[in-house]
Amino acid sequence: MESIFDLDHHREPVTADLDIPAALCRQHPLDLPNPSELEVLRHYTQLSQRNFAIDTHFYPLGSCTMKYNPRIAHRLANLPGFADIHPATPAQAQQGLLHLLWDLQNGLAELTQMAAVSLTPAAGAQGELAGVAMIRAYHHARGDFQRRRMLIPSAAHGTNPASARMAGFTVTELPTRADGDLELAALERELGPDVAGIMLTNPSTLGVFERQIETIAERVHQAGALLYYDGANFNAILGRVAPGRMGFDVMHLNLHKTFATPHGGGGPGSGAVAAAAHLEPFLPLPRVQREQDGRWRWLGRADRPQSIGRLNAYAGQIGVLLRAQAYLRRLGRAGVKRVSSYAVLNANYLLKELQRVGYRAAFPQRRASHEFLLTVEDLHRQTGVRALDVAKRLLDFGIYAPTIYFPQLVPECLLIEPTETESKATLDRFVAVMAQIRQEALEQPELLKGAPQRLKLGRLDEAWAARHLQLVQER
Amino acid sequence: MPYIPHDEEETAAMLAAIGVDRIDALFDEIPQHLQTFPQGVPEGLSEMALAREFEERAAAQPSLRSFAGAGAYAHHIPAVVPELIGRGEFYSAYTPYQAEASQGTLQVIFEFQTYIARLTGMEVANASLYDGASALFEACLMALRLRPQQRSILVPRYLLPHWREVLDSLLPLQDVRCIELDADPQRGTVRLPAQAPADAAALIIPQINALGLLEDVDALQRWATDQGLLSIAVVQPLSLALLREPGGWGESGADIVVGEAQALGIPLNGGGPYCGLFACRRDMVRQMPGRLVARTRDAAGRVGYCLTLQAREQHIRRGQATSNVCTNQGLMVTAATIALASLGAHGLREAAVRSHRQARSLLAALLDLKAVRRPWDGPFFNEFVVRFPISAVQLRDALLADGILAGVPLAELGLGEDGDLLIAVTERVSDEDIDDYRAAVGRILEQ
Ligand SMILES: Cc1ncc(COP(=O)(O)O)c(C=O)c1O
């Protein structure tokens, strides 16, 4: 593909009489191309066609909940009445927007059975940072400054330990049992007066429900620590099990997963945080409040002096929040429960079918949640084919690859999440393709190791990239 | 069932294959008493009813001509931008972990990195952070990784207050302090101390400060270099079509550059999603937060793009990563890149020049009114403070009735005096808009 920097036409420079001292002005003209509008349209249209996406391909990427992103949500979030609002607009001139955000705060509080919600975190990781900072603020407010340690299962997403570190905690990793549940004895060993809390994902990143959750919550609370819930897997229990009921004190939701807002090739996301009553005063700002007179306004520092404060310049990813609210409103009470029902049905069906054609489940004795882990360690030992090769071969069949090598504790693993919006026919085709790939692995492993074979580019050399480090287009 | 395709027969066949008789049985590992139905969620709506509800809410707020800035600006968005970023292939793709199936997104990011590097005059740029303020927070952390013995950051008084608040909420978590640098009360720009505090790692240099004023960036950069500090430039990318790029400040250029890219093709959206830009020197790249895309090749030597230096990131390095960021602002990066491409060097300069020119016209028109003055009169790009003889909040609220969002009262930012209004002008403001603004203010002042 050509580069946008090759599409240039001479344009007469704009002359200007500037009221700015020359010393502050640019001395060389901007070294940027001037393509025609049609060239721009064509260039980026053609680039878009070099992507796999939900709208064009099955995308069973574990832990990412790549479900259909309803177009109505896109259209409604872009209504000029919302898109043109400047963030410094006084509350009286953005009542419609505040009303919708208020509804979303309440809907999320209801679904999580938490006391209050702040919509400001920009993504899951920022929600985590907010949540663990709130845990810290809670302990400090009680005069307890010794709790400097956060417990995190070794299978947790990388953002969990990274967020805990960012909030000033040291991290202790907890082991997982062979059946996928947490090693309770290790938890009990680690708990003590220096532990601030534990970060858990449930269902876990291993694709199974942590069955001891109530015992864990009890032990953690007895030790004076709090429970953080990573809501990345909320799709598995939406409308059915609430983190607040499981004993969690604070959590984030990935609205760009469970609530069907698009991933946009890497973002923007939205990581709303929800908290139980004892953590409500610490929620990040601003938040929407409804006044006695029925009008809405932003809550600020003066209203919540104990808040951990502001995480972004404004009130969060409003455009994403509007999409999430549109989705929630469209589904309603019955619809949310159907989401988890069919997400879990699809995952369990797919797991059964893949086992039937010869694949090994990492946790064969367990029910799948909305996703499940396979391991191809057996194939690797027999043929040298790795999870990476299976992933690349799937691309040849027009299927995006599942998440691979996460969680790291299961060797040669693929984390597969079909989501509820895929039909049985799509799943059946996936099974047929996976069966063929398994056959190929056994008969002609080189085919997989050289995959993808049918795309415009073959396997790209990441080591070459890191060695040469060409991060910008040379002139 | 919205968005779920299964009919009864398919569901039954799937349950039979699994070996259970109903869907609820699939949740049998979850204690029954934890399974509760969310009574408080209202019934679902049809697509038509949903649209009606949102359209009503959107119509509930007045449509305003925006003269507000303070970090977010009502610039023109070329029509190709929303058209292209709405394409499902961009809109509904994930982070490009499988490079061969994500070349579109990867090349867009590579182009974005190049655009930002060229605009800022820096060697490398990343694939975005959440917004300008959170990018500044990350820049402070990066400066501290580069200067591990130091514990503080020098922050000018006239950094945008919301950005300062982000630093104040997040930096103390790692025992890092902000030390505020005074401003010259007459000029409204940074007043440098003779000596930097011993434990300072970096100086933040906002070019365009919170009062809309331009700083003497060469002097600030030189002082930072002399004091052995890193410099963190905070820029508005569109202004760089006219203003000196941070890579050229002083003798050495800035070390790290961050900014808010909203002005480039991203709607105001009530405050987000926006797009934090982040650039730095090449020898610091291993300390950078966020994703990076590099050019590479396949076995046949064909050129392609992939994520690189992932060992900095949380999914590999976990607790030791340079940042916790994972999901970034991908689609906004796409918007900014396409806006930059469609404007080109020519269009960017044109938009910047016109924003500057119209801002000067509005300022002149307002200063014509009795008892209106400019409290700080240094050079500016497209934003300035005017001091009115009445409360700026009152004035702003009154002008809403004229369909004008007159600006941001400095008092709401915790700065300045009661009558101070921070006013921003973009290329969208016409001469007629300026006349209307002036007439509306004149009317209020006469009352
Ligand atoms: C289990 C888990 N936790 C946390 C995150 C982080 O969320 P985000 O990418 O929105 O920051 C993710 C997503 O990537 C995840 O899968």
Side-chain angles (χ1 to χ4, degrees):
Chain A
M1 253 314 277
E2 67 197 338
S3 155
I4 192 74
F5 298 97
D6 301 333
L7 302 171
D8 197 11
H9 305 283
H10 179 72
R11 297 269 186 276
E12 279 310 311
V14 187
T15 53
D17 110 69
L18 301 178
D19 201 4
I20 300 175
L24 298 180
C25 290
R26 174 174 279 284
Q27 278 150 13
H28 316 283
L30 274 178
D31 183 16
L32 302 178
N34 292 292
S36 74
E37 188 166 318
L38 176 57
E39 283 170 330
V40 170
L41 195 69
R42 227 174 243 164
H43 178 71
Y44 291 103
T45 300
Q46 286 173 4
L47 278 187
S48 78
Q49 290 166 336
R50 307 192 65 193
N51 268 359
F52 282 31
I54 301 170
D55 288 8
T56 51
H57 298 79
F58 180 39
Y59 218 105
L61 190 63
S63 207
C64 301
T65 312
M66 297 299 278
K67 61 169 82 175
Y68 168 58
N69 309 137
R71 275 311 196 270
I72 184 68
H74 180 57
R75 184 171 87 67
L76 297 177
N78 281 319
L79 289 171
F82 303 129
D84 294 344
I85 296 181
H86 189 281
T89 306
Q92 70 264 31
Q94 48 171 319
Q95 288 291 302
L97 174 64
L98 293 179
H99 186 168
L100 286 174
L101 297 177
W102 166 256
D103 285 347
L104 179 60
Q105 283 179 186
N106 292 335
L108 298 181
E110 177 66 22
L111 288 169
T112 57
Q113 291 293 297
M114 290 287 187
V117 170
S118 166
L119 301 172
T120 67
Q126 206 182 46
E128 293 169 17
L129 175 59
V132 291
M134 289 165 65
I135 289 178
R136 185 180 140 120
Y138 168 85
H139 290 307
H140 285 192
R142 295 156 54 97
D144 185 349
F145 295 93
Q146 345 162 35
R147 297 185 180 268
R148 310 215 53 143
R149 206 148 60 93
M150 191 61 70
L151 306 182
I152 302 176
S154 54
H157 195 262
T159 50
N160 289 192
S163 301
R165 284 287 304 264
M166 221 176 212
F169 292 109
T170 59
V171 171
T172 303
E173 296 215 326
L174 297 178
T176 301
R177 294 194 321 228
D179 65 3
D181 285 343
L182 194 71
E183 179 90 51
L184 213 49
L187 171 68
E188 285 173 349
R189 238 184 352 262
E190 294 295 344
L191 280 172
D194 63 333
V195 171
I198 183 170
M199 297 179 82
L200 289 176
T201 315
N202 197 17
S204 73
T205 51
L206 302 168
V208 295
F209 189 85
E210 172 58 66
R211 292 168 293 190
Q212 318 161 97
I213 184 58
E214 290 169 290
T215 314
I216 294 172
E218 197 183 309
R219 301 286 151 81
V220 169
H221 285 146
Q222 273 164 3
L226 299 181
L227 283 91
Y228 183 83
Y229 180 79
D230 175 339
N233 289 346
F234 199 46
N235 213 49
I237 54 172
L238 183 67
R240 194 179 277 273
V241 182
R245 292 278 165 81
M246 288 193 267
F248 288 95
D249 301 283
V250 55
M251 62 174 291
H252 82 265
L253 290 160
N254 296 68
L255 300 183
H256 48 303
K257 299 181 182 186
T258 315
F259 292 83
T261 74
H263 286 78
S270 186
V273 273
H278 51 289
L279 285 172
E280 184 274 340
F282 307 102
L283 279 166
L285 294 168
R287 287 158 55 195
V288 180
Q289 163 104 323
R290 185 168 195 180
E291 300 287 71
Q292 295 289 339
D293 64 3
R295 300 178 66 77
W296 290 271
R297 71 172 176 100
W298 292 111
L299 284 181
R301 193 37 103 185
D303 307 290
R304 289 294 182 278
Q306 287 185 297
S307 163
I308 59 161
R310 188 181 277 281
L311 306 172
N312 299 301
Y314 304 107
Q317 315 253 37
I318 307 283
V320 180
L321 298 170
L322 289 173
R323 286 173 172 82
Q325 173 60 13
Y327 178 72
L328 181 53
R329 242 356 228 130
R330 175 88 173 91
L331 293 188
R333 192 187 302 165
V336 288
K337 187 168 180 185
R338 276 196 299 260
V339 165
S340 55
S341 297
Y342 285 86
V344 170
L345 175 67
N346 275 2
N348 278 283
Y349 174 71
L350 203 51
L351 172 59
K352 261 286 176 330
E353 289 292 290
L354 288 169
Q355 285 176 300
R356 185 175 57 74
V357 301
Y359 285 95
R360 299 230 175 132
F363 301 99
Q365 71 280 39
R366 301 292 307 270
R367 280 275 183 240
S369 61
H370 65 312
E371 63 187 356
F372 57 90
L373 260 182
L374 295 183
T375 171
V376 293
E377 207 191 3
D378 56 327
L379 269 186
H380 185 220
R381 260 189 271 107
Q382 277 178 61
T383 66
V385 163
R386 306 195 54 199
L388 176 72
D389 305 315
V390 173
K392 296 296 185 197
R393 186 61 178 154
L394 273 167
L395 305 179
D396 277 334
F397 293 92
I399 294 171
Y400 197 81
T403 298
I404 48 176
Y405 304 112
F406 171 74
Q408 283 159 352
L409 65 101
V410 176
E412 298 303 328
C413 66
L414 296 120
L415 185 60
I416 301 177
E417 179 178 6
T419 84
E420 72 282 4
T421 59
E422 297 296 339
S423 68
K424 178 172 180 293
T426 301
L427 304 186
D428 289 340
R429 169 161 187 270
F430 179 69
V431 172
V433 167
M434 285 291 281
Q436 180 177 337
I437 289 177
R438 191 171 174 83
Q439 206 58 39
E440 289 174 354
L442 295 169
E443 288 163 8
Q444 26 177 352
E446 296 313 313
L447 187 67
L448 270 67
K449 292 177 195 168
Q453 314 274 0
R454 298 179 192 149
L455 302 189
K456 285 221 170 83
L457 293 175
R459 198 175 297 189
L460 287 160
D461 190 341
E462 294 189 3
W464 193 96
R467 243 184 355 264
H468 294 83
L469 223 51
Q470 296 181 5
L471 303 172
V472 295
Q473 170 95 17
E474 61 284 0
R475 289 166 211 265
Chain B
M1 294 192 286
Y3 318 129
I4 296 176
H6 308 57
D7 65 24
E8 264 175 46
E9 211 173 299
E10 287 162 339
T11 302
M14 292 169 79
L15 288 170
I18 299 167
V20 295
D21 56 357
R22 64 214 152 79
I23 288 179
D24 283 350
L26 298 172
F27 294 84
D28 57 2
E29 289 188 0
I30 304 178
Q32 198 55 49
H33 62 272
L34 287 181
Q35 302 194 34
T36 50
F37 192 71
Q39 295 302 336
V41 175
E43 294 291 355
L45 297 179
S46 70
E47 189 171 296
M48 286 178 294
L50 172 68
R52 196 170 310 134
E53 181 176 300
F54 269 60
E55 281 157 5
E56 273 170 28
R57 302 271 184 273
Q61 39 235 340
S63 146
L64 300 171
R65 283 179 280 181
S66 177
F67 294 83
Y73 303 89
H75 287 286
H76 173 67
I77 297 174
V80 292
V81 175
E83 199 64 38
L84 284 164
I85 69 167
R87 283 186 68 91
E89 300 94 325
F90 284 136
Y91 188 77
S92 70
Y94 199 73
T95 301
Y97 288 129
Q98 293 295 337
E100 300 80 7
S102 314
Q103 283 300 298
T105 292
L106 285 161
Q107 188 171 332
V108 167
I109 297 171
F110 183 81
E111 292 180 1
F112 176 76
Q113 291 174 182
T114 305
Y115 270 116
I116 297 304
R118 290 193 186 181
L119 266 176
T120 57
M122 302 301 286
E123 290 166 317
V124 294
N126 77 6
S128 80
L129 293 165
Y130 305 132
D131 74 345
S134 64
L136 178 59
F137 161 63
E138 292 276 10
C140 294
L141 293 184
M142 178 166 148
L144 288 153
R145 287 193 294 278
L146 292 163
R147 295 272 193 280
Q149 308 305 322
Q150 318 305 80
R151 291 322 302 161
S152 69
I153 303 286
L154 302 183
V155 187
R157 165 147 175 74
Y158 292 131
L159 174 71
L160 280 170
H162 289 167
W163 295 39
R164 172 65 190 272
E165 280 180 47
V166 171
L167 302 187
D168 286 341
S169 5
L170 298 178
L171 287 176
L173 298 172
Q174 297 187 51
D175 296 321
V176 176
R177 315 178 283 146
C178 291
I179 298 179
E180 187 166 301
L181 291 185
D182 261 355
D184 180 322
Q186 260 76 52
R187 293 167 178 275
T189 54
V190 179
R191 190 160 62 186
L192 285 170
Q195 191 84 46
D199 74 344
L203 168 68
I204 294 175
I205 308 178
Q207 181 57 313
I208 303 188
N209 73 20
L211 304 177
L213 297 164
L214 300 181
E215 298 278 355
D216 183 352
V217 287
D218 286 327
L220 295 176
Q221 178 59 51
R222 283 189 194 114
W223 184 79
T225 310
D226 289 347
Q227 299 287 322
L229 299 169
L230 294 166
S231 63
I232 302 172
V234 178
V235 297
Q236 287 180 22
L238 189 83
S239 74
L240 294 177
L242 299 184
L243 300 182
R244 185 105 67 77
E245 68 285 4
W249 292 359
E251 276 66 49
S252 54
D255 296 296
I256 304 172
V257 181
V258 298
E260 173 52 66
Q262 177 273 328
L264 304 172
I266 300 172
L268 286 166
N269 278 333
Y274 290 173
C275 179
L277 62 86
F278 194 108
C280 66
R281 298 181 188 282
R282 191 177 161 93
D283 61 11
M284 298 174 174
V285 68
R286 287 190 157 70
Q287 291 301 334
M288 255 180 142
R291 297 185 187 127
L292 280 169
V293 169
R295 190 189 275 132
T296 189
R297 50 213 54 219
D298 66 7
R302 288 172 296 205
V303 171
Y305 301 86
C306 66
L307 294 173
T308 196
L309 298 188
Q310 295 189 64
R312 296 167 302 112
E313 292 185 70
Q314 47 71 34
H315 60 285
I316 310 284
R317 196 57 63 81
R318 303 178 69 80
Q320 314 303 322
T322 55
S323 166
N324 67 339
V325 68
C326 177
T327 293
N328 60 17
Q329 298 297 107
L331 200 64
M332 303 299 109
V333 166
T334 310
T337 307
I338 296 169
L340 283 162
S342 36
L343 290 167
H346 188 266
L348 274 172
R349 188 171 156 83
E350 204 169 47
V353 166
R354 188 171 149 83
S355 299
H356 175 68
R357 195 181 286 151
Q358 296 300 85
R360 279 166 59 197
S361 303
L362 178 60
L363 175 62
L366 293 175
L367 292 180
D368 235 19
L369 294 164
K370 202 163 79 198
V372 175
R373 63 186 198 89
R374 195 171 170 229
W376 299 280
D377 65 356
F380 64 95
F381 167 56
N382 72 331
E383 196 164 13
F384 52 83
V385 175
V386 166
R387 185 164 292 167
F388 293 100
I390 60 168
S391 136
V393 172
Q394 200 189 325
L395 181 80
R396 188 261 328 260
D397 288 352
L399 260 62
L400 293 173
D402 297 271
I404 292 172
L405 180 59
V408 183
L410 277 193
E412 287 190 351
L413 299 175
L415 303 173
E417 294 187 8
D418 230 27
D420 292 348
L421 188 66
L422 179 64
I423 301 172
V425 178
T426 72
E427 74 285 6
R428 275 173 59 186
V429 169
S430 67
D431 294 346
E432 193 191 340
D433 292 331
I434 292 175
D435 293 344
D436 292 350
Y437 190 118
R438 190 201 124 108
V441 172
R443 204 186 63 236
I444 305 289
L445 293 184
E446 272 162 31
Q447 279 167 10

